[in-house]
Structure formats: C-alpha cells, structure tokens
Amino acid sequence: MSLSLKTRPSTLENLKNEEYDLLVIGGGITGAGVALQATASGLKTALLEMQDFAEGTSSRSTKLVHGGIRYLKTFDVGVVADTVTERAVVQGIAPHIPRPFPMLLPIYDDPSSTFDMFSVKIAMDLYDRLAGVTGTQYANYTISAQEALQREPNLKSEKLLGAGVYLDFVNNDARLVIENVKEAAEMGATVASRVKVVGILHDENGKANGVKAQDVLTGKEFEVHAKVVMNTTGPWVSKLLNIDSKAEGPTIRPTKGVHLVIDASRLSVPQPTYSDSGMGDGRMFFVVPREGKTYFGTTDTDFDGDYAHPRVEQADVDYLLKAINNRFPGADITINDIEASWVGLRPLLSDNGSSDYNGGGANVGKVSDESFNNLIKIANEYSDDKASRSDVEKAISSLETASAEKTLSPSQVSRGSSLDVAADGLVTLSGGKITDYRKMAAGAMDLLRQIFAEQYSMELTEIDSKTLQVSGGHFDPTNVDATMKFYQNIAMSKGIPAAEALDLANRYGSNTGRVVSYADQVEAAPGLSLADTLSLHYSVNEEASYTLVDFLLRRTNYILFHEDELAPKKDAFVNEMAKIMGWSAQEKAAQKDALEREISNTRLDYLK
C-alpha cells in the first residue's frame, strides 16, 4: 500500500466509512508495533498519529537498542535479562536497523563510580550470560588503563583504572517506526498521520466505540468507529485519558532527555562509550560515534512544558558540556561546537520504582549489606577455587535493592510498562522503552485475543511476533553483512557510487530494490545526487513524507548528522519535493521556512 499525500484522501474516506476491529491511537513505536501484530492476527486495524510518524519520543532516543547494563549497578537482573533477550528479537525482525557495536565502559577510582574493575567484570559476565553471547566474538573483556587510552586518547587519564568492553547495539529509532508502519499498511492496516484524536466516542451502553478525529492539515473533523480503541500515545497517555470522561488509567511522569551532536574532528571516539559523569551525581552518559559525528547524552529531568515542542535549555547544555569535558578534558567542547541536538520525553510511569533512564534518580538504591557481603564472600571463594561460577551467579541474582523491580505486576507486559482497561473499555498501553516495543505489543495482543473471543466470538490468528519481520527486514538476520553487500550491488547497478549505495542498503534493507527502481522514472535532480533523488521520491510516495522535515529529519539523518552536507543542497531538496508534491510558490516558501526553523532550533541558535 502506498503511503503518500496522494493516497491520503482515500485513506481518510476509509476511516470515515469503515468500522474497524481495532483503532490504535499514537503512531510512535508502541502503536506501530501493535498495529502490525494486530493486522497480522487478522484484525481490521486503523492507526492514527497526530504528528508525523515517530515525531515524538520514538525519534528522540539515544539511538541504541541498549542492553541495560546500567541496571546491574543495582543488580536488577530481571530488567537486564528481559532487555538483552528482547534486543536479539528486535535484531531478528528488523535486521537492517539494529547493528552490534561493542561499548567501552571506562572505570575510574572514584567513590561515586558505578563499577570498579572487579564488579564490572562480574556484571559483564552475567550480562553476557543473559544475552547468550558467552564464548562468541561479542563476549566481554577488560582492558588496562593504558589500553583504554590507546583506544581513546582523549579520555581522562587521572585515576583511570581500566575499562570493560561489552556488546551493545546502535539503532535508527525513527526508521524502526516507519518500517513497522509500512509493514502494517502492506498487510492491510489503514494508517494516517496528521490526524488528531479530539474526543472518545461511546455507544448507548457507555462503551468506547471510536473517536472524534481532526484532520490536522484541513481542520475538518470526522468520526472513526471501532470495536476496541487503544491508547498508545506515549507521553500523551494521561492527556488522552483526560478527554475521555469515562476512563481512568496510569499517570505518566515524562522526563526530558537531551543529546548534543558535534563533529568527530572535535572529539573522536572509535566506539560507543558509556561513562560515569565524574561529577559525584551517580549518573552515567553515552558518547557515540555516528556518520562522521559524535553525539553525547542524556539528561533526565522532569518535564511539564509543551509535549509537542520540548526544547533544549541552557541548563541541559551546561550539564552535558560539563560531563563531556570532565571525561574528555582535552576536548574543550563549547556550545559553539554543537551542530545539532535533539530532545525527547520518556513516557515513564509515575509509580514505577526503577524508571530512571541512565543511572540516577530512582535507581540509586543500594544493595543491602547482607547481600553485598555474601557476594564478596562467594566471589573470594571463587577466586580461591572454593566456589563455582554458578555460585557467583546465584549470589548476584539474589542481591536485594530498595528500587529494583523484580517481578511484573498483573497489568504489566514488560518492566516499566502498563496495560490497563478502563471502565468504558478503552485499552491503554503505556510506559516501557523502545527495546521492549515488540514484547509490549505481544502482551497487548494476548489481552485483545481475550476481548475479541469473549465479547465478539472472534478467534484471532495465532502469530509468532518474534519472527514477524518489518518492512525492509525480509532477509536472514544471521547474514546481514552479505545481504547488505547484495543490496549495495543492486543500487550500484543503477549507477549509484559504492558508498552511497551502501548507505541506501543500510537504510532500506530489502526495500532497496524498490527505492532504486525510481531510477527508471527520474534522473538525479539538479543539485542532488541520484541516491538523494531516489530516496526523496520513495519517501514521498511510499513512506508518508509530507514535509521536508519529515524526510530530512526522520526518514534520513540529514539534519542531525549531515547538516554541513545539507547546507548546499537545501534549495535543491526544496525544488525537487515541490515538483513531486505540486506545491504552489507560497507552499514552497512555507516549507523552506519550516525547514530553516527546524535546522536553527536543532543547531541551538537560540542559545548561541
């Protein structure tokens, strides 16, 4: 199914005239995952998003499918076990998106440090065991301080004890969303962005049976009817519940996470690095190389501003600059080095005890003295060959902390998530994190099977969502490198240079052939490469890109990681998209202005 502005009118007509089995509100990663699994299970499904797909939280993560080793600081083994297991599943269903990239964890002789060289090895060994990578090429190891400085010469050398190296995955969060949306649409789901829910409809018995929606592009309102309505709006969950007079549900406490991007020439790291801030606050932050840039973050502060337009504040910049310059003291990064930034809101549940994202806040619970002393005793016995490895692992798994979330409550489908049904039948799936999205959707499907069986005598098709691959991911996940080479060759056969062809393969996976098939219809646009031109045409016609920002920020990484390359191409992109979309001179100027504002805000010009 084509997702474009041209097909949008027929999509809206379907929404107005059809009754759906399931209506999902919210086109971030949670809603996209539910829409895909529901459609695959045989439900007639609709998905509504008030902005662009992934425009909120789901394009503003740390862009890792992070294994959660931070939770081992309080030995919250359950969280890590769930996360690393699910990470492998996501790599299998979207093999062109998450990629393995081992993480460096420097260890300092500092009382506020999360790990020392002894505890980090224990944590990494347990982490590998949970992840199933013990004895593989991705097994963890430790290196000396000298070796760590050879890898990253800019690291602070004072009190550096060494470092751990363990498996983690980089991710393209926005692409993961759009690929789920596209696959759902291919299977028959009706999906629409820029459609805002402004009210919940009820039948004569008070049961939620649809929504009043507004077409954001025209302002016109219409109704969409469905047997079951599901709220997957992330940080907006509580706000949506507030417009339903008959519904109650979880309370969301959004926190703000900020990331800053600099050129790799200002600070180069060869691999993702995860470090204590070194400022005695118990917090950790990431430094990640990507596409010739280096980005670092994140913050974690409560937020009560404009959910649709959160902004990076001076305090956020000050904190992250202090952290990066503390751990990389020779870099001397200033606000003027920042080329791009992003800020997102995490949909944390207000009553979740282990909700903190990067090691501070709620998750600084201490291990009890009895548990800790027992671990040290067993570890020493292991060193003297008086205890087995399993004895150490058992001691670790039995450690008790004040904040660890050890078991799932009845309403949870993953740790930090909530699945609730209001009195009027409105289903709310909230909380969680991007790594858990497939598992959260699967948990929601278990509930939906029960609802449709009991209330509508409908038996849904049983699917294995662990093997339900997304658009672009239809290939063997154990053979990614060779497959990317194959798709690269397909792009090169159309005259695209090798480097750009590989970029296309990595971005579009098994859809690469569809992307480059546009070369049979169009030539390279003036001022653009052929790869840029084909990507733009494909994205406008098949990925619901309605604006330049949709394409340059969320379908590609131009604004975040290639703004220097984008500068001389902006007018060319404007001209070509105007040609595809049939924009008037006025609309073309408005689109260009919106792009310039986005770039300026992302670059933090208002703080410089």
Side-chain angles (χ1 to χ4, degrees), residues 401-478:
T401 72
S403 64
E405 185 182 9
K406 295 181 179 62
T407 59
L408 301 184
S409 70
S411 69
Q412 290 179 296
V413 291
S414 72
R415 286 170 173 80
S417 72
S418 181
L419 179 62
D420 302 271
V421 182
D424 65 352
L426 178 69
V427 180
T428 296
L429 179 59
S430 56
K433 50 189 180 295
I434 195 166
T435 310
D436 291 340
Y437 89 91
R438 194 281 323 166
K439 185 176 183 179
M440 291 174 64
M445 287 307 304
D446 289 340
L447 173 63
L448 290 174
R449 283 188 187 88
Q450 179 181 344
I451 290 173
F452 279 96
E454 294 177 354
Q455 298 181 19
Y456 300 100
S457 299
M458 291 174 57
E459 296 296 327
L460 306 190
T461 303
E462 289 285 343
I463 64 165
D464 181 3
S465 62
K466 292 182 178 180
T467 60
L468 181 61
Q469 292 180 308
V470 304
S471 184
H474 294 283
F475 60 91
D476 181 0
T478 67

Side-chain angles (χ1 to χ4, degrees), residues 107 116 228 299 358 374 449 501 604:
I107 306 297
D116 56 30
V228 177
T299 59
N358 64 344
N374 180 60
R449 283 188 187 88
L604 303 183

Side-chain angles (χ1 to χ4, degrees), residues 109-138:
D109 184 10
D110 183 330
S112 67
S113 291
T114 301
F115 296 108
D116 56 30
M117 292 301 293
F118 173 75
S119 63
V120 77
K121 184 58 178 171
I122 292 177
M124 293 192 305
D125 283 347
L126 177 58
Y127 181 91
D128 281 5
R129 183 178 177 87
L130 295 170
V133 298
T134 301
T136 73
Q137 62 175 321
Y138 295 117

Side-chain angles (χ1 to χ4, degrees), residues 284-455:
M284 301 186 76
F285 72 106
F286 296 94
V287 186
V288 183
R290 188 159 192 152
E291 301 176 43
K293 307 296 178 182
T294 300
Y295 68 88
F296 53 97
T298 176
T299 59
D300 196 18
T301 54
D302 285 317
F303 183 82
D304 60 2
D306 183 354
Y307 283 23
H309 303 100
R311 282 165 68 94
V312 179
E313 305 293 345
Q314 187 65 51
D316 304 317
V317 175
D318 290 345
Y319 178 84
L320 289 176
L321 289 180
K322 186 175 181 181
I324 196 76
N325 288 320
N326 181 48
R327 280 298 176 238
F328 299 86
D332 193 26
I333 305 300
T334 72
I335 191 171
N336 292 322
D337 292 310
I338 298 170
E339 296 184 354
S341 65
W342 68 88
V343 52
L345 303 180
R346 303 184 193 93
L348 304 182
L349 303 175
S350 62
D351 59 353
N352 179 33
S354 59
S355 63
D356 179 70
Y357 183 79
N358 64 344
N363 209 26
V364 295
K366 300 296 184 182
V367 177
S368 69
D369 288 342
E370 181 180 357
S371 294
F372 185 76
N373 290 335
N374 180 60
L375 172 63
I376 296 301
K377 173 179 175 290
I378 296 296
N380 287 333
E381 290 177 355
Y382 176 73
S383 298
D384 295 334
D385 294 325
K386 295 179 180 178
S388 68
R389 181 188 177 94
S390 63
D391 292 330
V392 177
E393 291 169 351
K394 183 178 180 180
I396 291 173
S397 63
S398 64
L399 284 169
E400 297 179 354
T401 72
S403 64
E405 185 182 9
K406 295 181 179 62
T407 59
L408 301 184
S409 70
S411 69
Q412 290 179 296
V413 291
S414 72
R415 286 170 173 80
S417 72
S418 181
L419 179 62
D420 302 271
V421 182
D424 65 352
L426 178 69
V427 180
T428 296
L429 179 59
S430 56
K433 50 189 180 295
I434 195 166
T435 310
D436 291 340
Y437 89 91
R438 194 281 323 166
K439 185 176 183 179
M440 291 174 64
M445 287 307 304
D446 289 340
L447 173 63
L448 290 174
R449 283 188 187 88
Q450 179 181 344
I451 290 173
F452 279 96
E454 294 177 354
Q455 298 181 19

Side-chain angles (χ1 to χ4, degrees), residues 91 95-96 99 475-485 506:
Q91 196 277 327
H96 60 309
R99 300 294 177 83
F475 60 91
D476 181 0
T478 67
N479 198 28
V480 175
D481 290 343
T483 305
M484 291 299 102
K485 182 68 174 177
N506 284 325

